[in-house]
Amino acid sequence: MLNLNFNPFPELKTKRLLLRQVMPTDAKLVMRIRGNEEAMRYIPRPRAKTMEDALAVVKMLTDGINDGKSINWAIANINEPAEIFGIMGYVNFYLEQNKAEIGYMLHPDYWGKGYVPEAILEVERFGFEQINLQAIEAKIDPRNDNSRKILRRNNYQFDRLVKKEMTFQGEDLDSEYYIKNRIQ
Ligand SMILES: CC(C)(COP(=O)(O)OP(=O)(O)OC[C@H]1O[C@@H](n2cnc3c(N)ncnc32)[C@H](O)[C@@H]1OP(=O)(O)O)[C@@H](O)C(=O)NCCC(=O)NCCS
């Protein structure tokens, strides 16, 4: 059974990064991240264009945590906890399979520094050891080479390609699924 009680919120740390809860006071930076066209290119969600949009994102993330439906961390440099530049977490839990879907994004100014590969290890550890996941799934747009690179390097195995899985803004989208199982 999964442990989906995230109260108190589990802050995580890596060598360079602090992973902490997203707060309403982060809304401006959430807008910078979730409003960035380049960062949102392969994420089929509406871009945050206003402070109201950003606050709605913060509320959705907060509700997910409180309801045990999802858990997302804001990513910041360990020495600058207020300056969040990314979001990562489990966006869905599949209770019958003890599985979760992982998601991550950074503002493009912070790409190419190995931040997501660093953070994902800690988020995975939390998922396997604290939530009790058996498997972590990642779903990517097949055009998202940067995301695929991270998954492959981090030992996720290709699972399946689903053609035309959804329609977003008038475009039919395929999805590639990757999976990482807990090592027994
Ligand atoms: C995918 C993503 C999370 C990668 O995170 P990251 O911390 O930058 O990962 P890395 O530092 O390991 O870089 C991965 C690859 O990104 C590419 N990359 C790095 N900087 C880049 C830049 N400024 N522009 C374009 N590509 C870049 C490189 O090809 C790099 O591979 P390399 O190590 O072989 O050079 C990040 O690109 C991102 O946030 N993308 C937008 C959101 C997204 O698509 N999320 C995934 C949804 S499933």
Side-chain angles (χ1 to χ4, degrees):
M1 203 163 118
L2 298 183
N3 171 16
L4 300 173
N5 178 357
F6 305 125
N7 189 13
F9 186 82
E11 280 196 359
L12 305 176
K13 282 182 185 160
T14 69
K15 198 160 168 246
R16 294 179 293 173
L17 303 171
L18 171 70
L19 277 64
R20 64 160 177 83
Q21 186 162 12
V22 184
M23 308 302 283
T25 43
D26 298 316
K28 212 170 154 190
L29 289 172
V30 168
M31 190 163 85
R32 190 164 180 260
I33 301 163
R34 289 278 300 223
N36 184 279
E37 205 168 345
E38 212 181 344
M40 293 296 286
R41 180 166 299 147
Y42 300 125
I43 298 182
R45 300 265 187 286
R47 268 196 305 129
K49 292 181 181 139
T50 63
M51 280 297 274
E52 283 70 34
D53 295 344
L55 283 164
V57 171
V58 174
K59 182 177 182 324
M60 178 191 74
L61 300 179
T62 309
D63 289 349
I65 290 161
N66 292 338
D67 300 342
K69 294 275 170 57
S70 60
I71 178 166
N72 280 275
W73 287 265
I75 305 174
N77 193 290
I78 207 156
N79 300 317
E80 284 179 300
E83 300 299 310
I84 66 167
F85 53 79
I87 300 169
M88 171 184 289
Y90 296 113
V91 298
N92 262 317
F93 292 109
Y94 302 93
L95 303 182
E96 284 175 12
Q97 298 154 280
N98 287 342
K99 187 173 84 175
E101 180 188 346
I102 199 166
Y104 41 78
M105 67 179 307
L106 299 181
H107 186 277
D109 286 356
Y110 297 84
W111 291 4
K113 299 176 196 303
Y115 285 145
V116 164
E118 184 171 321
I120 205 172
L121 291 177
E122 211 44 48
V123 169
E124 285 173 2
R125 194 196 318 275
F126 183 84
F128 289 134
E129 293 179 6
Q130 303 299 323
I131 302 179
N132 202 27
L133 296 171
Q134 289 295 332
I136 300 172
E137 186 170 72
K139 168 176 155 176
I140 67 165
D141 185 309
R143 297 168 295 181
N144 196 345
D145 294 331
N146 291 347
S147 189
R148 184 187 299 102
K149 213 180 250 185
I150 282 179
L151 294 171
R152 288 220 171 119
R153 280 183 189 159
N154 201 32
N155 299 319
Y156 282 72
Q157 306 297 321
F158 175 77
D159 189 52
R160 65 195 187 277
L161 168 69
V162 183
K163 290 272 199 186
K164 297 188 178 179
E165 188 177 43
M166 68 185 117
T167 304
F168 180 67
Q169 294 178 342
E171 198 183 1
D172 288 334
L173 297 177
D174 301 343
S175 298
E176 263 179 37
Y177 285 82
Y178 287 80
I179 195 120
K180 185 171 189 172
N181 289 304
R182 177 157 82 185
I183 298 162
Q184 299 301 327

